Amino acid sequence: MNSAAAQSISWDPYNTDLIPNPYPMYKRLREEMPLYYNEEHDFYAISRYADIEATLRDRDLFSSAHGDILEFIKAKSVMPDSVFIHQDPPKHTAYRSLMQRIITPKRMFAVEQDIRALCARSLDHLVGGDRFDFITNLGAEMPMRAVSMLLGIPEKDQTAIRESVDARMRTEAGKPIDLANQQAIQQEALAGFEEYISWREKNPSDDMMTELLQTDFKDPEGVVRKLTRDEISNIVNVVAGAGNETTNRLIGWMGKTLSEHPDQRRDIVKNPALIPAAIEELLRYEPPGPFLAREVMRDIELHGKKIPKGAAMIMLVAAGNRDESRFVDGDKFNIHREQRPHMTFGQGIHVCIGAPLARLEGRVAMEEVLKRFPEWEVDYDKAVMSSTSSVRGWDSLPVWIGSKPKNYVAPKPAAPAPAPAAPAADVTLEGTWNVVVKGPTGPQPAVLTLERNGDSFTGAQAGAGTSTPIADFKKTGNKIYWVNHITKPMKIKVEFTGELSGNVITGKAKAGFMGSYPFTATKA
Amino acid sequence: MPKILYIEHNGKEHVVDADVGKSVMQNALENLVPGIIGDCGGACSCATCHGYIDPAWEGKAGSRNENEEMMLDGALRVEPNSRLTCQVIMTQELDGLVVRLPESQF
Ligand code: HEM
Ligand code: FES
């Protein structure tokens, strides 16, 4: 390795240039700098399969007590015990063993028929058309619905949610969504998670929620008791947060990767028994969560370099998954390759508890898509990719099914929000805004109150029965940013980044390890 | 070296020279035996290393521990001779061990 080349090795999770294709850099890291240090953001990164495997298995040396995302570790984030993805033993062990009794493969497999029916409902009306969107029409809703099924939210109570879903599915790719209408439906869908818990308490069934309510739990102090409502709510949030966006991304990568490998897609159509192997290869090749992080608990040495206690270590799962010393032609997508486990669901005590469900959703989605559409081609002009601190994948992946019309003129991009009535006049920011975050367990409403002091803004945001002050409110052009440290259902920092158009702000609310969720704020 | 015979669900056999002290799961992975996944790396947290111990070996292979019992309780296709192979550690006495693999691990 020559040092000039080495100097140009640079990787960080925020580098947008690397998002479309991070793999050449991963290869260089594996080969030239198996232990990488990033000065600017002060973290270490490992990229070889064997190193990542060893790290994830050594739970004493590599801690999750401050979470598994770089920003959280740097912030020394602390979460309630029941946010078990964010804990070490013995706290982790107490909740994990409880959850292992509850989220069982048996229970996950029991929802297969319902998931298949959902796929059919989502895809049938697209047959005969020209296009569909792997995310909008399939990936965006299926994972959330799958978790709802697991929780046992009855079909009839899902109606409002489904109406909102169906309304969106009926929207053709490239056409604006009627946001106002959608919000109204979503508010309705907010029949309330709390209400659901109470209802389930009186109407026990054999679902996950009933079990969370009834089970005897040995807490980290060794006391046998029932779970509190807060614990149940945190656990459900962890499960939904870990299971939604990741599985959504898997479905997007399915659309993209099979489009680029039509020969292998044909093999699968001819022999659907290849689907489970194809899903594993997809998970290896494009892991929805490309990296994980841990805190280093002792001074150590790796590849001849010292790493101090307290450092943040990033495990580049997406790099390890293509390590040539483990996977021949690692950068090649090959569903026929020798089957060896990948790292996409993690390893060790925190290994993904929902992996059977994710695999099942992937398999059923692939089966149902290929049954209807044996061929497609991605419309890259319209596809949108994004990457956060925890997932990488497609926000929108429209594809041509059947024939792409000659002289096709792409429709105008979807408007982010209904056109303002008086576009010239800037809306005054001070006052009351109705905020709706489309969170993992459904839309979460909140009220934001802003006060102006000269050029700066302060205020408070009320939601889930509590009100907390907001911070760092900024307006740059029509870009809006603020931070809300919420305390319910758990202590977490939520960053709102959006764009103001008329009297509506649309954008993403980033809730730490829970991921990013779309939000809208409408001036009341 | 003691040997382990893994028999895939489709009848395909794999004889492996096993490392003593490593689990039956680990020995399968290191020898590229398909049909065992071992997602959690042996932490008894994933149930993707499920195998059926040949009845002739049940005594020698020991019995399920509490955690394993709990995992198997929620797993699919469980039989009386089901084990999580990451919890069965290879010994010289287990030379010749026969493990049948389920149709699928998930
Ligand atoms: C393709 C989809 C998925 C991927 C790539 C994925 C990936 C992962 C990874 C890498 C971890 C380990 C995190 C760490 O070690 O810090 C994890 C943990 C977890 N996953 Fe998944 N996951 C997926 C789907 C799901 C689903 C569908 C569910 C729920 C039904 C789920 C629930 C969880 C939970 C609860 C944890 C925390 C486990 C613990 O800390 O003990 N995941 N997931
Ligand atoms: S390898 Fe995960 S339970 Fe055996």
Side-chain angles (χ1 to χ4, degrees):
Chain A
M1 146 179 115
N2 75 53
S3 57
Q7 273 161 13
S8 69
I9 289 191
S10 165
W11 181 87
D12 70 61
Y14 318 106
N15 183 344
T16 47
D17 290 349
L18 288 174
I19 290 169
N21 184 11
Y23 295 104
M25 184 54 78
Y26 288 156
K27 188 179 168 73
R28 290 199 56 199
L29 285 167
R30 273 194 313 267
E31 289 172 1
E32 299 170 38
M33 253 187 214
L35 177 68
Y36 168 74
Y37 177 66
N38 184 293
E39 227 171 82
E40 188 186 351
H41 302 287
D42 185 32
F43 67 84
Y44 293 80
I46 49 176
S47 46
R48 292 188 182 166
Y49 192 93
D51 289 340
I52 298 171
E53 186 175 58
T55 304
L56 287 174
R57 286 187 188 186
D58 194 341
R59 64 196 194 205
D60 297 324
L61 185 50
F62 299 97
S63 161
S64 291
H66 294 132
D68 66 352
I69 293 175
L70 179 63
E71 292 88 327
F72 278 63
I73 294 173
K74 305 242 71 146
K76 301 269 182 241
S77 149
V78 173
M79 293 272 174
D81 293 357
S82 46
V83 181
F84 58 104
I85 195 168
H86 202 291
Q87 307 297 346
D88 285 338
K91 288 179 185 170
H92 172 262
T93 323
Y95 291 91
R96 171 87 191 200
S97 30
L98 167 78
M99 291 316 288
Q100 258 163 208
R101 272 195 284 130
I102 294 181
I103 310 192
T104 58
K106 261 187 207 154
R107 192 162 267 148
M108 293 188 248
F109 269 78
V111 302
E112 173 165 350
Q113 284 321 312
D114 290 336
I115 292 180
R116 198 176 291 283
L118 173 66
C119 278
R121 212 159 46 217
S122 314
L123 296 174
D124 275 344
H125 70 279
L126 299 162
V127 173
D130 286 330
R131 312 157 51 83
F132 89 99
D133 191 314
F134 268 86
I135 302 301
T136 320
N137 295 118
L138 198 59
E141 298 306 328
M142 194 170 102
M144 188 174 130
R145 294 290 305 279
V147 170
S148 307
M149 291 170 193
L150 209 58
L151 283 168
I153 300 178
E155 191 71 5
K156 65 176 168 51
D157 290 352
Q158 286 186 29
T159 310
I161 301 170
R162 194 176 62 237
E163 274 172 6
S164 135
V165 170
D166 289 353
R168 173 153 11 149
M169 284 173 179
R170 277 193 297 271
T171 318
E172 282 168 52
K175 290 239 181 86
I177 291 165
D178 184 345
L179 258 182
N181 181 38
Q182 256 208 321
Q183 270 180 23
I185 299 168
Q186 287 182 345
Q187 291 283 5
E188 235 181 273
L190 252 174
F193 194 65
E194 289 291 322
E195 251 169 67
Y196 167 63
I197 300 182
S198 305
W199 178 84
R200 190 44 97 196
E201 208 163 21
K202 293 187 206 93
N203 300 274
S205 169
D206 60 354
D207 54 75
M208 183 174 140
M209 184 54 75
T210 305
E211 216 170 313
L212 285 171
L213 285 161
Q214 295 184 345
T215 196
D216 285 316
F217 159 68
K218 192 172 184 180
D219 74 14
E221 275 78 48
V223 179
V224 177
R225 58 172 174 83
K226 305 278 186 237
L227 291 167
T228 66
R229 285 292 176 91
D230 274 357
E231 284 175 318
I232 293 182
S233 160
N234 286 345
I235 287 171
V236 167
N237 272 307
V238 168
V239 171
N244 282 341
E245 223 178 331
T246 43
T247 314
N248 177 357
R249 296 303 179 227
L250 169 65
I251 290 170
W253 286 119
M254 177 187 299
K256 194 255 183 187
T257 311
L258 291 185
S259 173
E260 297 200 336
H261 298 86
D263 45 337
Q264 296 187 52
R265 184 173 56 193
R266 260 192 302 278
D267 292 349
I268 302 171
V269 172
K270 252 187 265 154
N271 180 11
L274 290 170
I275 288 178
I279 295 292
E280 287 312 295
E281 177 63 354
L282 199 57
L283 286 162
R284 179 194 74 84
Y285 190 71
E286 295 283 14
F291 29 82
L292 293 168
R294 294 286 190 264
E295 180 180 348
V296 182
M297 299 308 280
R298 289 194 305 273
D299 291 347
I300 53 166
E301 204 176 299
L302 188 64
H303 296 293
K305 273 195 242 170
K306 290 201 182 350
I307 305 173
K309 179 179 171 191
M313 172 68 89
I314 294 191
M315 284 91 59
L316 294 167
V317 167
N321 273 355
R322 293 182 177 209
D323 189 332
E324 303 272 336
S325 67
R326 183 178 170 94
F327 301 99
V328 178
D329 280 336
D331 277 324
K332 244 206 199 112
F333 178 76
N334 177 10
I335 61 167
H336 305 290
R337 73 168 54 245
E338 219 158 16
Q339 282 179 46
R340 298 196 78 176
H342 50 72
M343 201 61 86
T344 299
F345 291 118
Q347 274 253 336
I349 60 168
H350 285 280
V351 70
C352 180
I353 209 167
L357 183 61
R359 284 169 164 139
L360 182 145
E361 289 180 58
R363 172 169 60 77
V364 170
M366 196 182 277
E367 285 167 6
E368 296 301 315
V369 167
L370 287 173
K371 242 189 247 170
R372 292 169 179 81
F373 315 112
E375 289 179 8
W376 63 86
E377 195 185 315
V378 174
D379 179 0
Y380 285 106
D381 289 343
K382 282 273 135 58
V384 181
M385 188 195 258
S386 76
S387 182
T388 69
S389 297
S390 51
V391 298
R392 168 177 170 268
W394 301 91
D395 274 351
S396 169
L397 193 82
V399 301
W400 295 105
I401 41 185
S403 60
K404 175 171 163 178
K406 282 199 190 95
N407 309 323
Y408 172 76
V409 183
K412 291 266 186 307
D426 243 6
V427 67
T428 45
L429 289 170
E430 55 268 43
T432 307
W433 294 78
N434 288 320
V435 183
V436 180
V437 178
K438 197 176 150 281
T441 46
Q444 312 284 336
V447 176
L448 169 69
T449 330
L450 283 179
E451 278 167 42
R452 180 195 280 272
N453 314 305
D455 268 343
S456 68
F457 288 89
T458 54
Q461 197 161 328
T466 55
S467 177
T468 43
I470 62 151
D472 300 338
F473 189 95
K474 279 197 274 294
K475 179 173 184 293
T476 323
N478 59 350
K479 300 256 189 297
I480 305 277
Y481 174 88
W482 79 94
V483 173
N484 184 212
H485 290 270
I486 62 168
T487 52
K488 284 234 164 173
M490 65 182 78
K491 280 205 187 65
I492 200 165
K493 171 181 167 186
V494 188
E495 284 176 279
F496 292 83
T497 314
E499 223 166 284
L500 176 67
S501 170
N503 63 344
V504 181
I505 306 170
T506 17
K508 289 254 167 159
K510 184 167 167 297
F513 74 99
M514 305 280 302
S516 286
Y517 301 96
F519 83 88
T520 56
T522 317
K523 188 73 192 287
Chain B
M1 270 178 146
K3 293 195 189 312
I4 305 176
L5 170 62
Y6 299 90
I7 308 176
E8 283 185 71
H9 191 74
N10 61 15
K12 207 167 157 207
E13 301 192 351
H14 304 262
V15 180
V16 158
D17 285 321
D19 286 332
V20 168
K22 284 185 180 165
S23 71
V24 171
M25 177 278 286
Q26 197 65 31
N27 273 300
L29 292 197
E30 285 174 14
N31 291 282
L32 296 177
V33 175
I36 287 192
I37 298 175
D39 267 338
C40 76
C44 202
S45 297
C46 72
T48 61
C49 61
H50 180 194
Y52 309 105
I53 303 291
D54 187 276
W57 293 91
E58 273 187 90
K60 279 189 188 156
S63 51
R64 300 174 188 169
N65 59 48
E66 195 190 327
N67 223 354
E68 185 184 356
E69 194 76 65
M70 192 256 291
M71 291 299 298
L72 282 169
D73 206 37
L76 300 157
R77 309 174 191 91
V78 173
E79 302 289 337
N81 61 336
S82 285
R83 290 295 306 271
L84 294 179
T85 57
C86 68
Q87 303 300 303
V88 182
I89 305 300
M90 196 55 192
T91 59
Q92 201 62 49
E93 291 73 67
L94 286 176
D95 184 15
L97 177 69
V98 179
V99 183
R100 288 184 178 75
L101 304 182
E103 187 184 342
S104 162
Q105 291 288 354
F106 41 76

